[in-house]
Amino acid sequence: MSRIAGISTETNAKGMVTKITIDLKKHPQAKAPLVELGLMEEDVFQTMVKNRNYVSFEEGREHLLNTVRDLWKK
């Protein structure tokens, strides 16, 4: 198997791939399929952008800060 920067694999004794590690900083496009499969949660800001529940950048920023504050209290 060819080597790709930011992706590592582990194989078992039979040579079958059992684990894959992906560096999401190097491969941010890998996040969307993981979210779609339910293996990762979508970021609050990404949800807002996708649903277009904002008017301006400042409104989105304020909503994001409020969400972080609410999560911090939990």
Side-chain angles (χ1 to χ4, degrees), residues 35-71:
V35 169
E36 195 172 300
L37 289 170
L39 299 173
M40 272 182 84
E41 289 187 17
E42 193 169 38
D43 294 342
V44 173
F45 199 73
Q46 287 176 332
T47 303
M48 288 173 48
V49 170
K50 185 173 77 174
N51 295 335
R52 299 190 186 274
N53 292 336
Y54 59 90
V55 175
S56 66
F57 178 78
E58 284 302 314
E59 183 180 335
R61 182 179 171 277
E62 185 64 31
H63 179 74
L64 182 61
L65 288 173
N66 289 335
T67 302
V68 170
R69 288 182 187 118
D70 291 343
L71 292 172

Side-chain angles (χ1 to χ4, degrees), residues 10-18:
E10 283 185 33
T11 57
N12 61 13
K14 295 180 181 180
M16 296 177 64
V17 176
T18 56

Side-chain angles (χ1 to χ4, degrees), residues 21-40:
T21 304
I22 302 171
D23 183 346
L24 293 175
K25 288 184 180 179
K26 291 185 180 181
H27 302 283
Q29 71 277 13
K31 189 172 182 180
L34 294 172
V35 169
E36 195 172 300
L37 289 170
L39 299 173
M40 272 182 84

